[in-house]
Amino acid sequence: MTKRKLHLQLLTRIDLNSIESLTPEQLRNQLGALLVELIEEDAIPLNDQERARLVADLKNEIMGLGPLEPLLADVAISEIMVNGYQNVYVEKAGRIQLTDIRFNDDAHLMKIIDKIVSRVGRRIDESSPMADARLPDGSRVNAIIPPLALDGPVLTIRRFSVVPLQIHDLIEKNALTPAMAELLSALVKVKCNIIISGGTGSGKTTLLNILSGFIPTTERIVTIEDTAEMQLQQDHVIRLETRPPNIEGKGEITMRALVKNSLRMRPDRIVLGEVRSAEVIDMLQAMNTGHDGSLTTIHANTPRDALSRLENLVGMGGLSLPGKTLRQYISSTVHVVVQATRLNDGSRKITSIQEIIGMEGDIITTQEIYCYRRTGTNPDGSVQGMFSATGVRPRVSEKISTYGIRLSEGMFDPGTND
């Protein structure tokens, strides 16, 4: 009650016209001074620690995202999950844990959700009870509210690193080996069409972001996403984002429409956040008609499942082709499938790199270049396993050499795991 009362008093004291000219730091300082003044006027019995905490909470409420601000400031947190106003969970080091963070009530949580989605021109209400959005740092946000969420509003925030991860960070985290990183770098540079496959939270978008970093700075890149979250480091990047329908159900711009439009923008590379619908048809056509080196992700548990899902999505898009013809089209378009997996100890690994080499009868044939084999579990619950080369030298290695890229000697020898 004290916090709510001070909040209302502060709104009556502050000059809303003057704050527009203040920097965030100046505004924060002015709010702090006003709050201390109000606390002293009301003679609220607080010690120094309680006063500092109350002032910090009210600053976060007015300028930021209220109770979520301390969690957003913790770089070790990779996911924030708000299950109603009383239960806030986070993921740290791959493990989910309950926090002591609470909202006042559902209305308080709804206010924070509305603040997030309105920043990016989205809306959420009873007529449109689901919304995707993003935070200024690129973190992905999903919100769903009653009547669809039965126990109160649910908010999920997938954090993005303040400093984008690089390939050496994945090597340090033992997500892949230096040899695997060397191959992936070369595949991007020689314009192979790559699909990153994986489940939810497996690190697909992070890997897509890292691989896109190997695209030469001389090339024009168009990125297309449902919610813009990629952090490309090149200068010549055009970022496109889909748009949901307005309150009248009009004005929707789909991923497929953006893919079609991107083809008229003279792209050297098209990077698609994720294929999940009819846009896969236009993406495959782009890959097959002069836009080599395109990258995308897809939800699937194995590389073989990823190819099957591509086939299903093409069918859902309304393109009627015989099964064998469709598979031939996919096999001639997609060059490599990279499988990302989140293991049960929370660690992420690149568990397979497979090259598509053509057709054998009615089946798309692939050859695995690198794999990760799980061998056991340690007493602390962490997964034991090892990376290894399968001994297969990819056919694309000849193309890599024609680009003047020299791969390390022996990196494809069987059992190689460094």
Side-chain angles (χ1 to χ4, degrees):
M1 286 300 292
T2 300
K3 193 186 297 184
R4 194 172 298 178
K5 179 183 175 184
L6 282 172
H7 192 176
L8 292 173
Q9 287 179 328
L10 183 66
L11 292 177
T12 62
R13 287 283 187 94
I14 197 164
D15 184 352
L16 296 175
N17 293 321
S18 67
I19 65 173
E20 294 179 2
S21 60
L22 299 178
T23 65
E25 189 59 34
Q26 289 172 331
L27 177 57
R28 189 171 282 274
N29 290 337
Q30 188 179 104
L31 288 175
L34 273 172
L35 285 168
V36 170
E37 189 180 307
L38 287 170
I39 290 170
E40 290 175 350
E41 282 181 12
D42 291 354
I44 300 173
L46 297 171
N47 60 36
D48 289 344
Q49 187 176 0
E50 290 170 337
R51 176 180 292 198
R53 176 68 183 271
L54 181 59
V55 170
D57 286 350
L58 281 163
K59 283 182 182 178
N60 289 336
E61 196 68 42
I62 294 165
M63 294 189 62
L65 299 180
L68 297 178
E69 285 296 322
L71 303 181
L72 293 169
D74 187 343
V75 295
I77 292 174
S78 57
E79 196 109 20
I80 300 170
M81 295 155 278
V82 184
N83 303 350
Y85 74 93
Q86 295 188 83
N87 299 304
V88 180
Y89 292 84
V90 297
E91 182 184 78
K92 270 190 176 183
R95 305 278 182 162
I96 294 176
Q97 51 193 265
L98 181 65
T99 71
D100 58 359
I101 299 293
R102 300 288 184 273
F103 290 82
N104 297 334
D105 48 34
D106 281 344
H108 184 202
L109 176 53
M110 276 298 304
K111 180 182 173 185
I112 300 299
I113 291 173
D114 192 58
K115 184 183 286 190
I116 293 172
V117 300
S118 61
R119 280 178 179 172
V120 291
R122 307 283 169 103
R123 64 186 180 84
I124 188 164
D125 51 39
E126 193 170 316
S127 63
S128 182
M130 296 184 294
D132 289 313
R134 65 181 182 279
L135 299 181
D137 66 357
S139 297
R140 186 192 310 175
V141 179
N142 175 266
I144 182 166
I145 65 173
L148 300 187
L150 300 181
D151 299 317
V154 177
L155 177 68
T156 310
I157 301 174
R158 179 161 297 169
R159 300 292 309 284
F160 257 41
S161 300
V162 177
V163 179
L165 293 177
Q166 304 293 329
I167 195 72
H168 61 81
D169 295 309
L170 297 192
I171 295 171
E172 288 177 7
K173 293 175 184 291
N174 198 32
L176 79 172
T177 65
M180 294 165 71
E182 184 181 350
L183 176 61
L184 290 174
S185 169
L187 292 173
V188 174
K189 290 173 182 174
V190 303
K191 293 194 166 186
C192 286
N193 294 324
I194 301 173
I195 290 182
I196 300 168
S197 165
T200 300
S202 60
K204 298 188 300 300
T205 304
T206 298
L207 183 58
L208 179 67
N209 213 38
I210 291 171
L211 293 188
S212 67
F214 296 123
I215 299 174
T217 56
T218 54
E219 298 188 22
R220 178 177 170 89
I221 308 166
V222 177
T223 70
I224 305 170
E225 302 171 86
D226 272 331
T227 303
E229 53 186 337
M230 293 187 64
Q231 300 167 298
L232 271 66
Q233 302 305 302
Q234 294 89 336
D235 292 327
H236 201 165
V237 178
I238 296 92
R239 302 166 71 225
L240 305 179
E241 183 180 63
T242 61
R243 186 175 74 185
N246 61 21
I247 196 167
E248 298 170 346
K250 299 177 182 178
E252 181 181 17
I253 305 297
T254 64
M255 185 86 79
R256 186 169 191 183
L258 291 179
V259 174
K260 285 181 177 178
N261 188 79
S262 71
L263 301 178
R264 306 184 186 101
M265 299 172 68
R266 199 249 171 244
D268 289 307
R269 309 269 187 146
I270 299 173
V271 181
L272 197 62
E274 181 181 341
V275 288
R276 55 166 69 94
S277 188
E279 68 274 0
V280 69
I281 298 171
D282 303 283
M283 187 66 190
L284 290 173
Q285 287 176 342
M287 288 177 167
N288 206 26
T289 55
H291 296 92
D292 287 342
S294 296
L295 306 168
T296 189
T297 71
I298 193 168
H299 268 278
N301 293 325
T302 66
R304 178 60 59 184
D305 288 346
L307 296 175
S308 298
R309 187 141 193 266
L310 276 179
E311 193 177 334
N312 291 336
L313 290 176
V314 171
M316 289 167 58
L319 187 61
S320 181
L321 288 175
K324 183 176 181 179
T325 304
L326 179 53
R327 291 183 205 112
Q328 285 175 332
Y329 187 57
I330 292 172
S331 69
S332 65
T333 301
V334 180
H335 302 129
V336 176
V337 179
V338 180
Q339 184 68 37
T341 304
R342 182 181 185 276
L343 304 179
N344 60 310
D345 64 352
S347 62
R348 277 93 169 172
K349 308 281 187 190
I350 307 304
T351 52
S352 182
I353 299 177
Q354 296 196 13
E355 181 184 34
I356 296 173
I357 57 176
M359 294 280 293
E360 190 172 301
D362 291 347
I363 305 299
I364 297 174
T365 54
T366 63
Q367 55 184 13
E368 190 166 50
I369 313 302
Y370 287 101
C371 65
Y372 176 82
R373 296 282 180 262
R374 179 172 179 165
T375 57
T377 304
N378 293 314
D380 63 356
S382 60
V383 172
Q384 294 177 342
M386 60 182 292
F387 295 98
S388 64
T390 61
V392 175
R393 186 175 186 84
R395 292 183 180 181
V396 75
S397 60
E398 295 178 12
K399 182 180 180 181
I400 291 172
S401 65
T402 65
Y403 275 70
I405 300 172
R406 292 178 61 85
L407 296 174
S408 298
E409 197 69 34
M411 63 184 287
F412 301 118
D413 292 346
T416 300
N417 58 14
D418 56 9

